[in-house]
């Protein structure tokens, strides 16, 4: 039986959201997913449909979202639906919505030097085998500086500073590039790589996204084996208390 995925793209055109969505669609179809592609946030309005999915792939940079849509996604992911995305399409979405940032694991704050910075992506040894066999590689793109959740499991990093700026007065830091986290019974996957379609198409980057999609979509099976109802109820109660826009 095919797994099902929903890709929702939009927001700032500079990230080429439609082109990236098509690349993601191709990857998922190669993995035998049934894929729906939408360019409307209204796609998050049907909570029962979201809960029937195996994977949600957001690719929407900046903009505003109705709070009820974020709550619908949060409940679906907590019940086992995977959430996976990249770059500003997932962790620079809806800057005024802290519930979204809490669920996804972080948010973009800067890219010193803007596009065209050459930097290394360093694969980290961790408890996760997700990136096994992928070697460190060089990227010429935006280098994302993120504020991130200390609960995430970091699978790849990049070293700052590479480009001059006020941040360079601090000691060198290793910033996450790829991470995973749990949200209830759901798997959440993020990669900061993917400024435009040419970066997403890089062999290393597309392989990272492929593995992330497959891993995130495994949460549904685990949820069936656990008592999802109690976790789902707890998350719903918590997010209902927030003051998100």
């Amino acid at each position: 039986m095919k797994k099902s995925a929903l890709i929702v793209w939009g927001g700032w055109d500079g990230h080429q959201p439609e082109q990236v969505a098509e690349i993601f669609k191709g990857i998922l179809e190669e993995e035998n997913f049934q894929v729906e592609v939408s360019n409307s946030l209204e796609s998050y309005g049907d909570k029962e449909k979201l809960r029937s999915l195996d994977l949600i792939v957001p690719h929407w940079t900046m903009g505003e979202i109705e709070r009820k849509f974020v709550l619908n996604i949060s409940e679906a992911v907590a019940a086992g639906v995977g959430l996976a995305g990249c770059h500003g399409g997932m962790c620079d979405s809806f800057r005024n919505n802290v519930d979204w940032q809490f669920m996804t694991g972080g948010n973009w704050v800067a890219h010193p030097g803007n596009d065209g910075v050459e930097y290394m992506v360093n694969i980290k040894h961790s408890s996760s085998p997700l990136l096994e066999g992928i070697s460190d590689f060089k990227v010429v793109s935006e280098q994302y500086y993120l504020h991130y959740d200390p609960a995430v499991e970091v699978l790849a990093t990049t070293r700052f500073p590479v480009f001059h700026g006020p941040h360079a007065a601090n000691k060198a830091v290793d910033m996450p590039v790829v991470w995973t986290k749990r949200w209830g019974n759901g798997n959440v996957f993020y990669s900061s790589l993917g400024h435009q379609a040419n970066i997403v198409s890089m062999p290393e980057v597309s392989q990272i996204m492929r593995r992330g999609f497959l891993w995130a979509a495994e949460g549904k099976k685990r949820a069936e084996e656990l008592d999802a109802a109690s976790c789902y109820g707890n998350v719903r109660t918590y997010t209902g208390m927030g003051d998100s826009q």
Side-chain angles (χ1 to χ4, degrees):
M1 183 177 177
K2 285 189 174 184
K3 290 184 177 180
S4 58
L6 170 66
I7 301 172
V8 179
W9 65 267
W12 184 59
D13 287 338
H15 280 160
Q16 300 178 341
E18 184 174 11
Q19 296 94 318
V20 171
E22 282 302 308
I23 295 171
F24 288 166
K25 180 174 183 285
I27 291 172
L28 289 166
E29 288 180 339
E30 288 173 0
E31 298 296 339
N32 203 35
F33 277 73
Q34 181 176 328
V35 184
E36 177 184 348
V37 179
S38 168
N39 65 347
S40 172
L41 294 176
E42 294 292 332
S43 297
Y44 295 138
D46 186 340
K47 67 168 63 181
E48 294 308 317
K49 179 179 179 179
L50 293 180
R51 284 171 59 87
S52 73
L53 299 169
D54 294 284
L55 179 66
I56 298 169
V57 181
H59 199 71
W60 196 290
T61 305
M62 296 184 282
E64 301 285 341
I65 189 170
E66 291 188 41
R67 185 171 179 274
K68 65 181 180 181
F69 292 166
V70 175
L71 184 58
N72 288 348
I73 299 166
S74 176
E75 292 176 357
V77 176
V81 178
L83 183 70
C86 77
H87 201 64
M90 179 161 148
C91 283
D92 190 23
S93 308
F94 323 128
R95 293 176 182 178
N96 291 330
N97 193 292
V98 293
D99 290 334
W100 180 266
Q101 295 162 22
F102 191 18
M103 176 174 59
T104 58
N107 200 68
W108 169 88
V109 293
H111 41 58
N114 300 314
D115 195 13
V117 173
E118 181 177 290
Y119 62 96
M120 290 296 299
V121 175
N122 302 113
I123 308 301
K124 307 301 289 184
H125 297 291
S126 70
S127 64
S128 171
L130 198 55
L131 301 190
E132 278 186 6
I134 299 177
S135 301
D136 296 351
F137 61 97
K138 186 182 297 182
V139 175
V140 179
S141 183
E142 290 180 340
Q143 187 186 30
Y144 260 21
Y145 203 102
L146 298 137
H147 286 173
Y148 65 97
D149 184 344
V152 303
E153 180 162 9
V154 178
L155 306 186
T157 63
T158 186
R159 175 62 61 92
F160 279 86
V162 172
F163 195 83
H164 63 82
H167 69 293
N170 300 298
K171 65 180 181 180
V173 296
D174 290 322
M175 181 62 56
V177 173
V178 180
W179 69 60
T180 60
K181 70 172 291 184
R182 308 287 187 180
W183 190 253
N185 286 327
N187 293 342
V188 178
F189 174 87
Y190 175 70
S191 168
S192 69
L193 302 166
H195 175 57
Q196 292 185 332
N198 65 318
I199 300 299
V200 177
S201 296
M202 290 177 60
E204 299 92 343
V205 179
S206 61
Q207 179 74 333
I208 286 170
M209 293 309 303
R210 182 185 302 270
R211 293 188 186 184
F213 291 151
L214 293 174
W215 175 81
E218 291 174 0
K220 201 74 173 288
K221 180 179 179 181
R222 185 178 69 251
E224 293 172 355
E225 299 168 352
L226 299 172
D227 182 10
S230 62
C231 180
Y232 165 71
N234 289 339
V235 171
R236 183 174 185 177
T237 300
Y238 173 78
T239 55
M241 294 170 61
D243 294 323
S244 301
Q245 303 279 319

